[in-house]
mmCIF file of all heavy atoms in Angstrom:
data_model
loop_
_atom_site.group_PDB
_atom_site.id
_atom_site.type_symbol
_atom_site.label_atom_id
_atom_site.label_comp_id
_atom_site.label_asym_id
_atom_site.label_seq_id
_atom_site.Cartn_x
_atom_site.Cartn_y
_atom_site.Cartn_z
ATOM 1 N N THR E 164 84.166 -43.826 -2.418
ATOM 2 C CA THR E 164 85.429 -44.411 -2.010
ATOM 3 C C THR E 164 85.996 -43.725 -0.759
ATOM 4 O O THR E 164 86.662 -44.381 0.032
ATOM 5 C CB THR E 164 86.476 -44.313 -3.139
ATOM 6 O OG1 THR E 164 86.640 -42.932 -3.512
ATOM 7 C CG2 THR E 164 86.021 -45.119 -4.336
ATOM 8 N N LYS E 165 85.724 -42.434 -0.624
ATOM 9 C CA LYS E 165 86.195 -41.686 0.538
ATOM 10 C C LYS E 165 85.000 -41.159 1.307
ATOM 11 O O LYS E 165 84.444 -40.137 0.957
ATOM 12 C CB LYS E 165 87.047 -40.504 0.121
ATOM 13 C CG LYS E 165 88.494 -40.750 0.051
ATOM 14 C CD LYS E 165 89.189 -39.451 -0.198
ATOM 15 C CE LYS E 165 90.617 -39.541 0.229
ATOM 16 N NZ LYS E 165 91.350 -38.290 -0.051
ATOM 17 N N THR E 166 84.572 -41.859 2.318
ATOM 18 C CA THR E 166 83.479 -41.340 3.131
ATOM 19 C C THR E 166 83.954 -41.222 4.574
ATOM 20 O O THR E 166 84.630 -42.130 5.083
ATOM 21 C CB THR E 166 82.258 -42.275 3.098
ATOM 22 O OG1 THR E 166 82.638 -43.571 3.538
ATOM 23 C CG2 THR E 166 81.666 -42.362 1.704
ATOM 24 N N LYS E 167 83.629 -40.113 5.155
ATOM 25 C CA LYS E 167 83.996 -39.891 6.554
ATOM 26 C C LYS E 167 82.749 -39.969 7.402
ATOM 27 O O LYS E 167 81.707 -39.490 7.037
ATOM 28 C CB LYS E 167 84.640 -38.520 6.737
ATOM 29 C CG LYS E 167 85.978 -38.384 6.092
ATOM 30 C CD LYS E 167 86.584 -37.036 6.411
ATOM 31 C CE LYS E 167 87.965 -36.914 5.837
ATOM 32 N NZ LYS E 167 88.570 -35.631 6.164
ATOM 33 N N THR E 168 82.889 -40.604 8.529
ATOM 34 C CA THR E 168 81.768 -40.661 9.466
ATOM 35 C C THR E 168 82.031 -39.616 10.561
ATOM 36 O O THR E 168 83.167 -39.445 11.005
ATOM 37 C CB THR E 168 81.611 -42.034 10.096
ATOM 38 O OG1 THR E 168 82.818 -42.369 10.759
ATOM 39 C CG2 THR E 168 81.302 -43.070 9.045
ATOM 40 N N ILE E 169 80.997 -38.965 10.981
ATOM 41 C CA ILE E 169 81.120 -37.970 12.043
ATOM 42 C C ILE E 169 80.550 -38.590 13.312
ATOM 43 O O ILE E 169 79.392 -38.973 13.374
ATOM 44 C CB ILE E 169 80.327 -36.687 11.661
ATOM 45 C CG1 ILE E 169 80.878 -36.091 10.389
ATOM 46 C CG2 ILE E 169 80.366 -35.694 12.802
ATOM 47 C CD1 ILE E 169 80.121 -34.909 9.864
ATOM 48 N N ASN E 170 81.390 -38.691 14.295
ATOM 49 C CA ASN E 170 81.011 -39.255 15.575
ATOM 50 C C ASN E 170 80.765 -38.119 16.569
ATOM 51 O O ASN E 170 81.420 -37.096 16.517
ATOM 52 C CB ASN E 170 82.102 -40.179 16.120
ATOM 53 C CG ASN E 170 82.267 -41.390 15.219
ATOM 54 O OD1 ASN E 170 81.299 -41.857 14.605
ATOM 55 N ND2 ASN E 170 83.486 -41.884 15.116
ATOM 56 N N LYS E 171 79.883 -38.336 17.509
ATOM 57 C CA LYS E 171 79.589 -37.337 18.536
ATOM 58 C C LYS E 171 80.518 -37.568 19.724
ATOM 59 O O LYS E 171 80.744 -38.689 20.163
ATOM 60 C CB LYS E 171 78.133 -37.444 18.970
ATOM 61 C CG LYS E 171 77.160 -37.105 17.884
ATOM 62 C CD LYS E 171 75.755 -37.217 18.403
ATOM 63 C CE LYS E 171 74.758 -36.933 17.297
ATOM 64 N NZ LYS E 171 73.383 -37.070 17.753
ATOM 65 N N ASN E 172 80.997 -36.452 20.258
ATOM 66 C CA ASN E 172 81.853 -36.507 21.433
ATOM 67 C C ASN E 172 80.999 -36.274 22.662
ATOM 68 O O ASN E 172 80.469 -35.180 22.843
ATOM 69 C CB ASN E 172 82.936 -35.442 21.324
ATOM 70 C CG ASN E 172 83.937 -35.500 22.467
ATOM 71 O OD1 ASN E 172 83.776 -36.283 23.358
ATOM 72 N ND2 ASN E 172 84.959 -34.682 22.367
ATOM 73 N N PRO E 173 80.855 -37.237 23.545
ATOM 74 C CA PRO E 173 80.024 -37.074 24.731
ATOM 75 C C PRO E 173 80.604 -36.078 25.756
ATOM 76 O O PRO E 173 79.908 -35.650 26.667
ATOM 77 C CB PRO E 173 79.910 -38.471 25.325
ATOM 78 C CG PRO E 173 81.121 -39.189 24.815
ATOM 79 C CD PRO E 173 81.429 -38.573 23.479
ATOM 80 N N GLU E 174 81.859 -35.703 25.599
ATOM 81 C CA GLU E 174 82.514 -34.794 26.545
ATOM 82 C C GLU E 174 82.214 -33.335 26.226
ATOM 83 O O GLU E 174 82.497 -32.468 27.054
ATOM 84 C CB GLU E 174 84.003 -35.016 26.525
ATOM 85 C CG GLU E 174 84.441 -36.429 26.859
ATOM 86 C CD GLU E 174 84.065 -36.822 28.276
ATOM 87 O OE1 GLU E 174 84.208 -35.967 29.188
ATOM 88 O OE2 GLU E 174 83.637 -37.962 28.474
ATOM 89 N N VAL E 175 81.634 -33.041 25.095
ATOM 90 C CA VAL E 175 81.389 -31.635 24.681
ATOM 91 C C VAL E 175 80.149 -31.105 25.407
ATOM 92 O O VAL E 175 79.125 -31.770 25.500
ATOM 93 C CB VAL E 175 81.209 -31.558 23.145
ATOM 94 C CG1 VAL E 175 80.813 -30.147 22.721
ATOM 95 C CG2 VAL E 175 82.465 -31.998 22.449
#
Side-chain angles (χ1 to χ4, degrees):
T164 58
K165 266 189 160 178
T166 58
K167 291 185 177 181
T168 59
I169 299 175
N170 295 328
K171 295 180 182 178
N172 184 355
E174 302 297 320
V175 174

